[in-house]
Amino acid sequence: MIAAILHQLTRNLSEEEIANSPFATYFVDHTTGLYPVAASGVPFDMKYVGIKGDVIADLHEDLAAEQKARVTYDNILRLCDDPDVKDPIKFLREREIVHYQRFADALRITQDHLDSKNFYAYNPAFDPKDKK
């Protein structure tokens, strides 16, 4: 959805509008093609996706990712007054909140079903009590 919004905002820009905007440096490298990059100019990289193979650690990572996305959408909403941009961003923000709630439910269910309640010290699925 973000890529579609970017396309809608840039598809009819004149060469003069592009040259006189902060978008000019992006345009030089990517024209109006959609290239995932942070506002700081850092390209997306899978190294930022944290997967450990431990359900507790991974669910915490998922929870953090949803909150980071929500904050990004909050910041966009603070800076934007175009309803054609704000409305889909509001939808995406609401979706992040629901995802956060579902990941929190999954974490609670996971913790309730572990064979040990000491899940902050180690993962009992991999490290049984008798080996500690």
Side-chain angles (χ1 to χ4, degrees), residues 9-11 16-17 26 28 32 35 46 82 84-85 103:
L9 292 171
T10 61
R11 69 176 172 222
E16 184 178 321
E17 288 172 314
Y26 179 93
V28 168
T32 57
Y35 181 73
M46 280 302 292
D82 182 339
D84 290 335
V85 173
F103 283 126

Side-chain angles (χ1 to χ4, degrees), residues 1-129:
M1 286 184 74
I2 298 297
I5 291 169
L6 178 62
H7 173 72
Q8 290 172 347
L9 292 171
T10 61
R11 69 176 172 222
N12 296 319
L13 290 175
S14 70
E15 289 181 21
E16 184 178 321
E17 288 172 314
I18 292 169
N20 295 322
S21 76
F23 184 64
T25 55
Y26 179 93
F27 182 83
V28 168
D29 289 336
H30 310 289
T31 318
T32 57
L34 303 176
Y35 181 73
V37 60
S40 62
V42 177
F44 176 78
D45 190 322
M46 280 302 292
K47 69 183 176 188
Y48 300 114
V49 178
I51 303 298
K52 295 302 286 180
D54 177 295
V55 67
I56 297 167
D58 290 347
L59 285 169
H60 279 283
E61 185 75 29
D62 294 336
L63 287 161
E66 298 300 333
Q67 288 300 318
K68 291 178 204 177
R70 180 198 50 80
V71 170
T72 298
Y73 295 142
D74 285 343
N75 291 339
I76 291 170
L77 291 169
R78 287 183 185 102
L79 298 173
C80 180
D81 60 1
D82 182 339
D84 290 335
V85 173
K86 287 182 80 163
D87 290 343
I89 296 297
K90 286 179 185 177
F91 167 79
L92 292 173
R93 182 186 181 283
E94 290 171 11
R95 191 179 68 169
E96 301 304 335
I97 293 168
V98 172
H99 290 168
Y100 181 85
Q101 292 167 338
R102 296 299 74 83
F103 283 126
D105 291 342
L107 179 61
R108 180 187 46 78
I109 290 165
T110 299
Q111 291 170 336
D112 288 347
H113 288 88
L114 291 175
D115 62 356
S116 170
K117 294 303 174 195
N118 189 14
F119 42 77
Y120 295 107
Y122 63 93
N123 182 341
F126 292 108
D127 303 307
K129 287 184 270 188

